[in-house]
Amino acid sequence: MLKPLKADLHIHTCLSPCGDLKMSPANIAEKANLHNIDILGICDHNSAENIPAVIKAAGQYQITVLPGIEVTSQEEIHILALFDDFSSALKLQDIIYKNLPGENDEEAFGIQVVVNESGEVLDFNQRLLIGASTLSINEVIDIIHSLNGLAIASHIDRESFSLISQLGFIPPDLDLDAVEISWRMNIEDAMEKFKPDVAIIKSSDAHFPEEIGRTTTTFLIEKATAKEIKKALLAQAGRKVIH
C-alpha cells in the first residue's frame, strides 16, 4: 500500500567541516522526530563515516536513514548520492578518497569529527573534505548509478557549488535522477526558471540542528527506500513526488 512519507534528503553531520558540532547523531535524530520526518538522507561532504552512528540514533524513532554522500566534482559541483545500503556508500567513499587531494586546514575550514551514536568523538578526519575531487560530474553520476544509487544535483538555486553556478545550465546529457532546490525557492519558480527534464525535490541542506526539516519533500511510496523514491521521481506504478 502506498503512503506519504516525509523526507529531508540532505543533512550534514559534525563530520562536514562546515557542519556545526551540535550536528551529532542524537541531535539530528531528535530534531527529525520533532518535525515528523520519516526519511533522512545523511550526506556529508565527500565522506560517509558518520552514517552508522546516525542510523543507530534514528532507530529509536523509527526514522529511516538513507546512506549518502555530497560529492564535489572536479567542476566544484555538488551532487547528492543516496543508497539503500551502507556498503554502497562506503564503496563510493573509497573511490572519492582515492581522488580527493589535499589535507584539511582546521583553522580555515573547521574540524571534521567522526562520532558514535552518543556523540562521543572517535576520530578526526584529516582529508580535505570541503575540497573538490578529481572526478568529473559525468564520472560522479556514472559511479553513483553503478552502485545502484540516486544522483541528485544539489541546491541548483544556489550561487555556488551548483550546476547552474558552475555551468550556467543543466546539461541535457547528464543522467540525473532529480535536481534539488533549497528552502529559498518554491517549486513553481524553479520549474519556470530552470525547466529541468527530471523531478525537483526540496531539502534543508542542514548544517545546524535548527535547520533540519526547514524544507522537505513528501513521497507517495510503498516503503522508505531509495529504490521506491526513484520510482516516485519517475512517477512509476502510482508513486509520485508530493510537494
Side-chain angles (χ1 to χ4, degrees), residues 6 15 30 61 155-156 170 188 201 206 214 219 230 241:
K6 185 178 179 181
L15 175 59
E30 181 182 0
Y61 301 110
H155 42 62
I156 63 169
I170 302 173
E188 293 74 21
I201 68 164
R214 63 180 167 180
F219 299 96
K230 182 161 188 173
V241 181

Side-chain angles (χ1 to χ4, degrees), residues 10 12 43-47 68-74 76-83 92-93 95-96 100 129 131-137 139-141 143-144 152 154 161:
H10 190 171
H12 293 267
C43 298
D44 279 310
H45 290 292
N46 291 318
S47 183
I69 298 176
E70 185 171 29
V71 188
T72 306
S73 75
Q74 184 180 57
E76 296 192 333
I77 297 167
H78 287 179
I79 298 290
L80 299 180
L82 291 162
F83 304 95
L92 176 59
Q93 176 185 272
I95 295 170
I96 294 168
L100 187 66
L129 298 183
S133 72
T134 59
L135 300 167
S136 72
I137 182 66
E139 287 176 318
V140 170
I141 293 171
I143 292 165
I144 293 168
I152 301 173
S154 304
F161 301 110

Side-chain angles (χ1 to χ4, degrees), residues 7 88 99-100 102 111-112 135 154 191 213 228 238:
S88 294
N99 293 276
L100 187 66
I111 59 175
Q112 302 171 154
L135 300 167
S154 304
M191 287 293 294
E228 279 287 300

Side-chain angles (χ1 to χ4, degrees), residues 38-51:
D38 302 295
I39 308 171
L40 284 177
I42 300 301
C43 298
D44 279 310
H45 290 292
N46 291 318
S47 183
E49 293 187 33
N50 270 352
I51 289 171

Side-chain angles (χ1 to χ4, degrees), residues 1-7 38 218-222 240 242:
M1 184 175 66
L2 301 182
K3 53 191 175 183
L5 294 178
K6 185 178 179 181
D38 302 295
T218 299
F219 299 96
L220 185 66
I221 51 182
E222 189 174 280
K240 61 182 179 179
I242 304 171

Side-chain angles (χ1 to χ4, degrees), residues 5-13 28 32 37-44 47-59 62-70 80-90 92 144 148-152 177 201 203 217 219 221 223-233:
L5 294 178
K6 185 178 179 181
D8 190 345
L9 297 180
H10 190 171
I11 302 286
H12 293 267
T13 77
I28 290 169
I37 292 171
D38 302 295
I39 308 171
L40 284 177
I42 300 301
C43 298
D44 279 310
S47 183
E49 293 187 33
N50 270 352
I51 289 171
V54 182
I55 291 173
K56 290 180 181 179
Q62 297 184 324
I63 296 171
T64 298
V65 173
L66 297 183
I69 298 176
E70 185 171 29
L80 299 180
L82 291 162
F83 304 95
D84 278 323
D85 56 279
F86 180 55
S87 62
S88 294
L90 273 183
L92 176 59
I144 293 168
N148 298 314
L150 295 175
I152 301 173
D177 295 295
I201 68 164
S203 348
T217 301
F219 299 96
I221 51 182
K223 52 187 176 180
T225 65
K227 185 176 180 179
E228 279 287 300
I229 288 174
K230 182 161 188 173
K231 290 180 181 179
L233 295 172

